[in-house]
């Protein structure tokens, strides 16, 4: 049987949010490759080889997956959320560009998943109901100056802004800087959503204002959504926010 490589998104956490397409790929796989916590979400079964690896070794992981598939294995590379959003799909294509010619013959497919910003947005109402953008706050792969430039442009354009990787223990200062920039440029009533571990048993949602937001409200399991100037609360059974479909 000839090999293949499917780069699959496991969604935000809840098994009910894994697509049937991704489930079928996992059932048909001979090998699963991914960051340890994501591999842990895939049930063990006889005949399935598991290749867990640490964070920050995305290119090595991608090369392992391509090499296995080129040798005839049926490989699933697992990401959380969607594999194309700050995740493994780009890493696989980077490895492919620099890799041996034979890898270009591998049958590669990207299987989408529900990305964290969409899961967080759904839990909190509809903060992404009008124009929005997504920014990865991690400065592992790009300089802070670029993050700040994009952030200021997004605020100026009045997008709602979804922030991935907002704050890690090793570099907590970025998110505090971001709050400082928001305070220079936005009104204190601007709504901010902190959605942590969405759709898992540890889920917590906090809807607050820029005036009351604290850096400690975010960690690496948190999705932060900064509302646009039009994002507002709506009276409902539980606290919800939304951005109207039209802008003046
Ligand atoms: N490919 C993933 C994103 C990887 S970056 C996706 O599409 O969702 C990792 C960041 O995603 C985390 O730092 C956090 O900001 C966000 N994230 C992932 N899962 C989450 C969840 N269940 N709840 C809240 N944020 C989550």
């Amino acid at each position: 049987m000839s090999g293949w490589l499917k780069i699959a998104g496991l969604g935000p956490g809840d098994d009910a949010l894994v697509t049937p397409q991704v489930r079928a790929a996992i059932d048909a796989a001979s090998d699963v490759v991914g960051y340890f916590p994501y591999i842990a979400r895939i049930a063990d079964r006889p005949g399935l080889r598991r290749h867990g690896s640490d964070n920050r070794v995305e290119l090595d992981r991608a090369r392992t997956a391509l090499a296995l598939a080129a040798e005839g294995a049926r490989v699933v590379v697992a990401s959380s959320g969607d594999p194309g959003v700050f995740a493994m799909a780009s890493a696989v294509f980077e490895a492919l560009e620099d890799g041996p010619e034979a890898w270009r013959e591998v049958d590669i497919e990207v299987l989408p998943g529900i990305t964290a910003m969409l899961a967080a947005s759904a839990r909190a109402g509809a903060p992404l109901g009008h124009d929005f953008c997504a920014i990865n706050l991690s400065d592992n792969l790009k300089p802070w100056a670029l993050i700040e430039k994009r952030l200021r442009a997004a605020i100026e354009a009045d997008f709602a802004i979804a922030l991935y990787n907002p704050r890690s223990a090793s570099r907590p200062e970025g998110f505090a800087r971001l709050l400082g920039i928001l305070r220079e440029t936005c009104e204190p009533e601007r709504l901010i959503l902190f959605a942590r571990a969405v759709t898992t048993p540890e889920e917590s949602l906090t809807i607050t204002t820029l005036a009351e937001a604290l850096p400690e409200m975010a960690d690496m399991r948190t999705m932060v959504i900064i509302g646009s100037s039009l994002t507002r609360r709506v009276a409902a059974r539980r606290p919800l926010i939304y951005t109207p479909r039209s802008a003046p």
Side-chain angles (χ1 to χ4, degrees), residues 167-208:
R167 188 165 176 268
S168 73
S170 61
R171 35 163 200 82
E173 62 288 344
F175 189 67
R177 264 189 246 162
L178 171 139
L179 287 178
I181 293 168
L182 287 170
R183 289 192 171 114
E184 277 170 31
T185 47
C186 301
E187 67 291 351
E189 303 77 29
R190 181 63 65 103
L191 290 172
I192 304 187
L193 167 69
F194 292 89
R196 184 170 192 279
V198 168
T199 82
T200 78
E202 294 89 50
E203 174 177 298
S204 73
L205 292 186
T206 305
I207 295 167
T208 186

Side-chain angles (χ1 to χ4, degrees), residues 12 80-82 85-87 115-116 164-166 195 197-198 220-223:
S80 76
D82 182 276
V85 179
F86 310 131
T115 189
Y164 286 79
N165 292 309
V198 168
M220 283 308 269
R221 294 192 73 192
T222 308
M223 181 79 229

